[in-house]
Amino acid sequence: MLPEFLRYPPGGKPWLLYGAVGVSLALNLGLAIRLGTSSDGVPLAGSVADSVEPAAVASATEPAPIQAIGDDTTISNAAVPPDQVPPLPAPLGAAAEAGTHLYSGIVTSSISATFTGVADTSPAALSAVYTRLFAWDMDMRRDLHKGDRVEVMYEQREGQEPLVLAARFTSQPGTATEHVYSAFRWQAPGDRFPSYWSPDGTEVPKRLVAGPLDDYEQITSLLKDRPTHEGMDFKTPIGTPVEAPRAAVVTRINWNQPANGNCVELKYQDGTMAKFLHLNEFLVKEGQSVAAGTVIAKTGNTGHSTGGHLHYQLEQGGRVVDPVDYHGTLRRTLQPDVMDRFHTDVKPLEQQLDGQLAAL
Ligand SMILES: [Zn+2]
């Protein structure tokens, strides 16, 4: 209890009580302001715009954009200590296992609508993977015609996007301009991962000329398909070596870590800035000069990332540049001496697609 003279000071008002309330309000307000920034005055991650990748939105009616697998969510993963990096997964071959599905459809509106009714997965998820496969040759948001035909053989894996084993797209079937695109999953001798090949032995996905990774599972996001996401994503196991594509100077390391994770920025000799995000570890220092081909880091799953991948981003004068345009692309072909084996391996897949077609 306050003494009588404080509760009823001269003048008739409880000034001390007013004062105590005022001080309390001021302290609380100060605390609220401080909570808006981290202790070193840097805005918290939620308000940081630099390189934060917005979530991809898949729509049931619009064709789904090409989506990253391990990217652009709010889950943040710590770096994996070198002695705990998981072993590389054994690549899956083309052999169908349990849970394999065949699907065929005729285009009436969008590509994702064409996949309505697929088993064990969502139309958006399957159409995103399917669209990504053929994205190097055609744009399924622009180049579709009514009556075009899709065929796909896939597996649904727990908690992952569908794994396509074989896919075919027939543009304007039965017309003079009919064109067939096919992709069969197959691991070429000497490759670390299976890729997709057309029946003539040409690799379906293109590759960057002298890009940052010698080998990777697949490119899961292209700039042209998701312009709001400012780079290219390569799905890789954690610990894959990242090379400097060009001679460069290391300009920054580990900026905006909550989003970027461990990251390295290079300045190429032509002034182009290159960002490498979500690394597990880096092997260079700020200010260091590196020759083209120098291993500068190992890929990881740090920052805003849900699976091992490399985000590679280029900028010139502050403007984002497409690595596909900057580096150029190439398309590999199988050596003639492996073509027999390739055809033997993919023939059953091709026959299954044909069987599915006959049932239409
Ligand atoms: Zn990315």
Side-chain angles (χ1 to χ4, degrees), residues 105-353:
I106 306 280
V107 172
T108 54
S109 55
S110 69
I111 192 72
S112 59
T114 309
F115 286 94
T116 303
V118 290
D120 217 13
T121 187
S122 76
L126 188 57
S127 68
V129 176
Y130 184 91
T131 302
R132 186 201 298 154
L133 252 182
F134 296 117
W136 299 98
D137 292 302
M138 64 165 301
D139 183 343
M140 290 200 184
R141 283 169 290 202
R142 204 190 55 208
D143 305 334
L144 282 183
H145 312 87
K146 270 188 182 165
D148 288 351
R149 222 162 46 209
V150 305
E151 289 132 37
V152 60
M153 182 176 174
Y154 64 97
E155 286 172 14
Q156 184 54 47
R157 301 162 300 167
E158 183 77 29
Q160 295 182 59
E161 62 177 16
L163 176 71
V164 169
L165 302 176
R168 194 153 57 188
F169 180 81
T170 309
S171 175
Q172 301 181 284
T175 70
T177 49
E178 173 177 307
H179 193 94
V180 180
Y181 303 88
S182 312
F184 296 98
R185 184 174 163 84
W186 193 69
Q187 187 166 6
D191 275 8
R192 193 170 148 202
F193 303 103
S195 185
Y196 292 90
W197 304 86
S198 63
D200 67 358
T202 307
E203 192 171 29
V204 176
K206 292 183 181 176
R207 291 171 179 256
L208 292 185
V209 177
L213 297 170
D214 275 347
D215 216 348
Y216 47 86
E217 280 187 67
Q218 45 175 307
I219 292 166
T220 52
S221 188
L222 285 170
L223 194 76
K224 70 175 176 126
D225 291 304
R226 249 173 88 209
T228 53
H229 168 262
E230 298 180 320
M232 236 174 131
D233 289 330
F234 298 81
K235 183 184 178 190
T236 67
I238 292 170
T240 303
V242 179
E243 294 173 11
R246 302 275 171 98
V249 174
V250 181
T251 41
R252 275 197 292 180
I253 276 172
N254 282 4
W255 71 99
N256 191 17
Q257 258 194 306
N260 296 347
N262 296 327
C263 51
V264 171
E265 183 183 69
L266 299 184
K267 184 177 190 179
Y268 297 158
Q269 285 173 342
D270 64 1
T272 304
M273 306 301 292
K275 295 174 179 176
F276 306 79
L277 311 185
H278 312 304
L279 304 168
N280 196 49
E281 54 178 323
F282 47 83
L283 309 167
V284 289
K285 295 195 293 268
E286 262 176 32
Q288 186 179 336
S289 293
V290 292
T294 306
V295 176
I296 55 167
K298 301 280 181 69
T299 62
N301 184 30
T302 58
H304 289 185
S305 170
T306 55
H309 83 285
L310 173 71
H311 174 103
Y312 178 54
Q313 180 172 334
L314 295 176
E315 285 166 25
Q316 288 173 341
R319 294 190 51 166
V320 169
V321 173
D322 191 341
V324 167
D325 299 332
Y326 183 78
H327 289 285
T329 55
L330 58 84
R331 193 164 239 166
R332 302 189 306 166
T333 51
L334 292 173
Q335 296 294 319
D337 59 338
V338 303
M339 285 301 289
D340 279 355
R341 219 177 96 201
F342 168 65
H343 280 132
T344 306
D345 287 350
V346 304
K347 192 158 196 152
L349 301 178
E350 202 163 12
Q351 284 169 340
Q352 298 222 51
L353 291 187

